[in-house]
Amino acid sequence: MGSDRQYGQRGAGTQEADTAEHRKPQSDEARSAFTPPQGVPRPPSPDGEHPTSEFAIPVGLTAECAPPEPEGSAFVAPPGVTTSPNQTTGGFPAFTPPNGIPLVRLTKDAPWQDRMRTMLRMPISERPTPEQRTEQEDDTGPAVPRVLDLVLRIAELLLAGGEGAEDVEAAMLGVAHAYGLDRCEPTVTFTLLSVSYQPSLVDDPVTASRTVRRRGTDYNRLSAVFRLVDDITSQDDFTLEEAYRRLAEIRRNRHPYPGWALTVAAGGLAGAASMLVGGAWPVFFAAAIGAMLGDRLAWLASGRGLPEFYQFVVAAMPPAAMGIGLSLLGAGLQSSAVITGGLFALIPGRALVASVQDGLTGYYITAAARLLEVGYLIVGIVCGVLTVLYGGLQLNAKLNPEAALVGQPQPIVQILAAMLLALTFCILLQQERHTVLFATLNGGVAWVVYGALADTADVPPVAATTVAAGLVGLFGQLLSRYRYASALPYVTAAIGPLLPGSATYFGLLALAQGNLDRGIPHLTQAAALALAIAIGVNLGGEAARLFLKVPGGGDDPSGRRAAKRTRGF
């Protein structure tokens, strides 16, 4: 009993102490603005940790069972507005589909140029993931430095061979993507190649670059590089060692034609061009001899280490001197045709087409650099020809800038001369032998179209040249897609008959005589014809791609992406 009473007293004392503790005023730090005041009962705690939403249905109410609507898009046509299924805006759907744009999946049935060009025009986050190769299954990842080095070496050969910047970037992206580098960004300028690879968003990027210091015209090597890229992008078991071995073989390959064949081809090109503008057989041989002398002098200047500008200066002098000599002898031959033939062999049509193509595809820095190179080479030709023409005028040479080069049209002779010009151009470009026949026929077709439009239908020369060059580009692109090769071997030589040799000669002759009113219009016409050739070739290539299936596009019109028009801002 005593113990119970004592325990009860202690319990009562403890309760009183707790009550006194609760009655003690608390400090400001112990209070909260959201705590209920004393005497107010605490509300019951909500069921669960997350509060309810004001948009939730109250207790006791039931919602109607309506069918769920698919999540829409802000760009979907509103109710009541109908659009045709083929309605597009700038190549993209007029309204984004509610389920989004389908994922692009690239197949290996199309050429690698089309597949990689499609990827270049896609954001890096939307590019498909590369397939895992068999050699990488047991490794932690691809050998990034070796892959980037291989990418740059292949791009160097392509850019040095005259390939366009877009195709060079497509080749770089194709090789990198084939070896598992999906987050890869290639960059091409006129002399600098760079590629950057970032494994993930949190990793540091790996960047490598290479400088192109030397350029050479060898379409045989260019075609071999295209085949190498095609094998890398289409074969899953193509290892890095095999790619390096093939690349070394390509670099060691000798030119398909010896030096003396190139000199003879230069003479044949000048002779064929002289006959194309109305020259006879004596004019053919005179133009051929002058062009071969110029080619040998250019080789001599190259061996001495002189820049390419001075090589063009010395190469332009012998054909002009041959024409001045025939005029002084008074043999009754067309000296103007001799000089014009020599100019055909020197005009840098390949570089001009590449510069305009880069500009039209959005590579403006490379296009400006290529165009500047073309300008320097043309200035070298002008200096060489003007020096000889000025000396001939001091010797009272009878040169008439208004003399018509072509009298009566000779279709058969001119078509054969155009085909011979394209054939010799193929040899100068070091093309593969199986491509020479197609390029020669393509050049003949170009001259037939030009002659039919300009001589028969009286179409202006610029428009006729554009149409003929467009057909050259169209056939060249179709042949290149059929053979999975570059289009340059089928296009560059075929535009040779369309080069503005006569307009250039008459403009230079008028400038040598001090007649600017006649010289400037001729040179302006020559520039317009050159641009017409370049634009026509590019337009024909784009027209060829319109008939080809877009890789990964399917029925979605947005599969082929391009830059949008800026609308002036």
Side-chain angles (χ1 to χ4, degrees):
M1 293 293 292
S3 61
D4 293 339
R5 188 181 301 111
Q6 186 178 3
Y7 176 78
Q9 293 176 355
R10 285 199 303 266
T14 304
Q15 292 178 358
E16 293 177 358
D18 293 339
T19 305
E21 182 70 23
H22 283 288
R23 292 175 181 175
K24 184 185 298 183
Q26 297 180 351
S27 62
D28 295 338
E29 290 80 0
R31 296 181 179 180
S32 173
F34 299 96
T35 303
Q38 296 181 1
V40 178
R42 186 184 299 271
S45 60
D47 297 336
E49 297 180 355
H50 301 284
T52 59
S53 172
E54 58 179 341
F55 298 100
I57 301 176
V59 181
L61 296 181
T62 57
E64 298 180 359
C65 298
E69 297 182 357
E71 183 179 357
S73 172
F75 299 97
V76 179
V81 179
T82 58
T83 58
S84 60
N86 297 327
Q87 183 178 359
T88 59
T89 304
F92 292 86
F95 299 99
T96 304
N99 297 328
I101 299 176
L103 178 64
V104 176
R105 290 183 173 86
L106 300 180
T107 61
K108 296 184 179 180
D109 299 333
W112 63 265
Q113 301 99 304
D114 295 334
R115 290 186 277 127
M116 294 303 114
R117 187 179 290 108
T118 302
M119 291 186 61
L120 279 176
R121 296 173 179 177
M122 295 170 56
I124 191 172
S125 59
E126 298 181 10
R127 293 175 184 172
T129 305
E131 300 178 1
Q132 191 75 13
R133 288 180 173 255
T134 56
E135 64 174 353
Q136 300 174 5
E137 291 180 355
D138 300 332
D139 300 335
T140 57
V144 175
R146 295 193 66 197
V147 173
L148 297 184
D149 178 72
L150 178 66
V151 167
L152 292 175
R153 291 180 182 273
I154 290 177
E156 179 187 9
L157 292 179
L158 291 176
L159 188 62
E163 192 61 68
E166 186 178 27
D167 288 333
V168 176
E169 282 197 359
M172 296 172 68
L173 184 61
V175 175
H177 189 267
Y179 286 108
L181 306 187
D182 53 341
R183 302 181 62 86
C184 189
E185 283 294 340
T187 304
V188 175
T189 59
F190 185 58
T191 57
L192 182 64
L193 299 166
S194 64
V195 57
S196 179
Y197 169 67
Q198 189 175 14
S200 65
L201 294 176
V202 297
D203 294 329
D204 295 332
V206 181
T207 303
S209 62
R210 196 175 185 88
T211 302
V212 180
R213 302 187 184 277
R214 297 185 59 184
R215 289 176 176 80
T217 305
D218 190 348
Y219 283 1
N220 182 30
R221 177 179 296 177
L222 187 69
S223 301
V225 176
F226 261 72
R227 287 193 295 270
L228 173 60
V229 176
D230 181 64
D231 293 339
I232 292 175
T233 55
S234 60
Q235 300 178 14
D236 295 335
D237 56 348
F238 204 89
T239 63
L240 275 174
E241 287 73 16
E242 179 67 17
Y244 269 104
R245 186 187 64 80
R246 286 271 301 274
L247 189 62
E249 291 178 356
I250 293 173
R251 287 182 174 274
R252 288 194 300 265
N253 281 346
R254 301 178 63 89
H255 297 306
Y257 307 104
W260 64 266
L262 300 181
T263 302
V264 174
L269 192 154
S274 65
M275 296 190 68
L276 199 63
V277 294
W281 284 106
V283 174
F284 174 90
F285 290 107
I289 293 173
M292 287 189 290
L293 290 176
D295 182 76
R296 286 293 90 190
L297 287 177
W299 277 104
L300 181 61
S302 175
R304 295 292 182 178
L306 292 179
E308 196 173 13
F309 175 83
Y310 299 105
Q311 298 176 26
F312 273 80
V313 172
V314 299
M317 287 183 175
M322 188 66 66
I324 294 295
L326 292 179
S327 179
L328 292 175
L329 292 177
L333 299 177
Q334 290 181 320
S335 59
S336 299
V338 176
I339 302 176
T340 301
L343 291 176
F344 265 87
L346 296 176
I347 296 177
R350 173 183 59 88
L352 178 65
V353 171
S355 64
V356 176
Q357 180 181 0
D358 289 341
L360 294 177
T361 52
Y363 296 83
Y364 301 114
I365 297 178
T366 307
R370 288 184 188 271
L371 198 60
L372 185 61
E373 181 190 30
V374 172
Y376 272 108
L377 299 182
I378 291 179
V379 169
I381 298 172
V382 169
C383 292
V385 175
L386 279 181
T387 301
V388 177
L389 289 181
Y390 183 76
L393 292 177
Q394 300 303 316
L395 297 176
N396 296 323
K398 298 180 180 179
L399 299 174
N400 185 11
E402 296 297 330
L405 290 176
V406 180
Q408 289 297 115
Q410 300 177 351
I412 302 299
V413 175
Q414 291 178 348
I415 292 174
L416 294 177
M419 296 178 66
L420 178 61
L421 193 152
L423 173 64
T424 53
F425 213 156
C426 291
I427 298 176
L428 290 176
L429 294 174
Q430 299 282 1
Q431 292 189 195
E432 293 179 310
R433 289 180 172 85
H434 66 84
T435 64
V436 172
L437 177 60
F438 295 101
T440 302
L441 294 177
N442 204 7
V445 171
W447 183 257
V448 169
V449 173
Y450 173 79
L453 293 176
D455 298 335
T456 305
D458 294 331
V459 177
V462 175
T465 301
T466 304
V467 175
L471 289 178
V472 168
L474 175 63
F475 294 152
Q477 285 290 340
L478 294 178
L479 286 173
S480 68
R481 291 305 185 270
Y482 175 73
R483 293 182 172 270
Y484 284 65
S486 173
L488 290 181
Y490 303 102
V491 171
T492 306
I495 64 173
L498 304 176
L499 294 177
S502 58
T504 305
Y505 162 69
F506 285 137
L508 296 180
L509 180 58
L511 291 181
Q513 293 176 342
N515 195 340
L516 298 179
D517 294 337
R518 293 180 179 178
I520 293 179
H522 282 296
L523 293 179
T524 303
Q525 183 184 12
L529 291 174
L531 292 177
I533 293 173
I535 294 175
V537 168
N538 182 267
L539 185 60
E542 293 297 329
R545 296 188 183 101
L546 293 177
F547 300 103
L548 301 174
K549 182 180 179 180
V550 179
D555 298 331
D556 178 31
S558 66
R560 183 182 183 184
R561 304 188 179 187
K564 293 183 179 180
R565 185 160 61 97
T566 59
R567 300 184 183 271
F569 55 85

